[in-house]
Amino acid sequence: MRILFIGDVYGRTGRDALAKHLPTLREKLKPDVVIVNGENAAHGIGITESICKEFYGIGTDVITTGNHVWDQREIISYIDRDPKLLRPLNFPKGTPGKGAYKHTLPDGRTILVVNAMARIFMDPLDCPFVAMNELINSYRMGPGGVNAILLDFHGEATSEKMAMGHHLDGRVSVVVGTHTHVPTADVQIFNGGTAYQSDAGMTGDYDSIIGVRKDIPIGRFIRKMYTEKFAPTDGEATVCGLFVETDDRNGWAKNAGAVRIGPRLKEEIPTF
């Protein structure tokens, strides 16, 4: 299975870049499934029903989120009506929405897409390691199970993300980190067959501070006081993500490579 994952889409400029470059990525990579983290898609804070439909309209199959999932209040009443829009799996029981979705390809192959949130420097949710263990007991890769499993692990600390990757090595196809908006150079396949990247990076304007107009966070750092609300920049954005090819027989990754297309960052489009 050929899996394209796109990192945190930030604001209008990120949405425009996704719409512009996804057709090219589809043509060159020929993915079987496209997964997009959209938690910052609405002006940098949250996502809306109309943006979800916009993403589906350009070829997105599943949308993941993170700590900003509830920033647009309308999503609370929408998320239960859209099983392809995920919130972190380890929110307390009774929270609207789901943390996993089994997507079926036209040819009958299946991929379980999971969204979980880390805890270091983040909201103290239920343990993501326990939540993943419980989930995987119900969804195994291989004969009689799903063909692939991808986890979007939304978190701040690279150590916690890497710990999750090794914890799940051989039991899932992909563990890819989101949230920091900075792509990491550690794309690899672990010994057990799980593809890993600490952070896919954002789909946003990199002439910024993680998507935000530069003067605002700089002012906060210098003055140590709240100045004004964060506002996205409006420059041309770069699409960042991870592309993985898996073995349908056991779900393990065969190839993995970073994806970057747009200005400022060096372009990378895998050729496998």
Side-chain angles (χ1 to χ4, degrees):
M1 188 179 299
R2 296 171 71 83
I3 305 166
L4 176 59
F5 178 85
I6 302 296
D8 312 47
V9 176
Y10 199 92
R12 165 61 68 182
T13 187
R15 303 200 309 269
D16 289 346
L18 182 66
K20 175 181 177 180
H21 294 298
L22 187 53
T24 299
L25 293 175
R26 279 192 167 278
E27 178 183 354
K28 291 186 176 183
L29 299 177
K30 295 179 172 50
D32 295 304
V33 60
V34 177
I35 302 156
V36 174
N37 185 294
E39 74 141 10
N40 296 126
H43 202 64
I45 48 172
I47 191 168
T48 64
E49 177 178 353
S50 63
I51 291 174
C52 289
K53 292 178 178 177
E54 176 186 326
F55 283 179
Y56 298 140
I58 60 174
T60 299
D61 295 299
V62 184
I63 301 170
T64 57
T65 59
N67 59 303
H68 288 291
V69 61
W70 311 121
D71 285 1
Q72 300 293 327
R73 305 301 292 175
E74 69 175 73
I75 215 67
I76 297 173
S77 60
Y78 171 73
I79 197 167
D80 277 328
R81 294 184 279 116
D82 184 355
K84 297 184 292 183
L85 172 63
L86 303 180
R87 49 81 171 158
L89 177 73
N90 51 320
F91 268 106
K93 290 182 179 179
T95 303
K98 302 293 183 183
Y101 174 71
K102 187 171 78 169
H103 177 69
T104 302
L105 276 58
D107 60 13
R109 289 178 295 165
T110 56
I111 176 173
L112 182 70
V113 181
V114 189
N115 194 184
M117 197 158 87
R119 297 194 293 184
I120 297 176
F121 309 124
M122 305 287 286
D123 292 335
L125 300 184
D126 297 341
C127 178
F129 293 85
V130 171
M132 287 304 300
N133 284 342
E134 292 175 349
L135 181 71
I136 291 173
N137 286 338
S138 300
Y139 293 94
R140 297 181 181 275
M141 297 190 301
V146 294
N147 296 105
I149 300 174
L150 178 142
L151 169 63
D152 172 356
F153 194 35
H154 197 77
E156 191 75 35
T158 52
S159 59
E160 189 175 9
K161 293 178 183 180
M162 189 164 285
M164 179 64 81
H166 284 293
H167 178 65
L168 297 176
D169 187 20
R171 298 193 287 163
V172 304
S173 308
V174 185
V175 174
V176 57
T178 55
H179 178 67
T180 71
H181 294 194
V182 179
T184 56
D186 61 342
V187 176
Q188 59 187 296
I189 298 175
F190 288 153
N191 294 338
T194 295
Y196 176 83
Q197 185 180 17
S198 291
D199 203 289
M202 73 171 175
T203 294
D205 177 12
Y206 279 82
D207 185 17
S208 68
I209 296 176
I210 60 172
V212 176
R213 208 178 74 212
K214 290 177 280 189
D215 60 304
I216 303 174
I218 289 173
R220 290 193 188 184
F221 282 122
I222 291 173
R223 300 180 184 88
K224 286 296 180 183
M225 61 181 293
Y226 184 90
T227 52
E228 57 182 296
K229 291 183 178 180
F230 283 168
T233 55
D234 57 5
E236 186 178 355
T238 296
V239 174
C240 286
L242 177 68
F243 183 61
V244 178
E245 183 181 29
T246 65
D247 188 330
D248 290 326
R249 296 170 299 178
N250 51 34
W252 296 335
K254 299 191 294 184
N255 295 291
V259 173
R260 295 183 193 120
I261 181 170
R264 301 191 74 85
L265 302 187
K266 182 180 179 181
E267 184 171 293
E268 292 188 41
I269 300 179
T271 56
F272 53 82

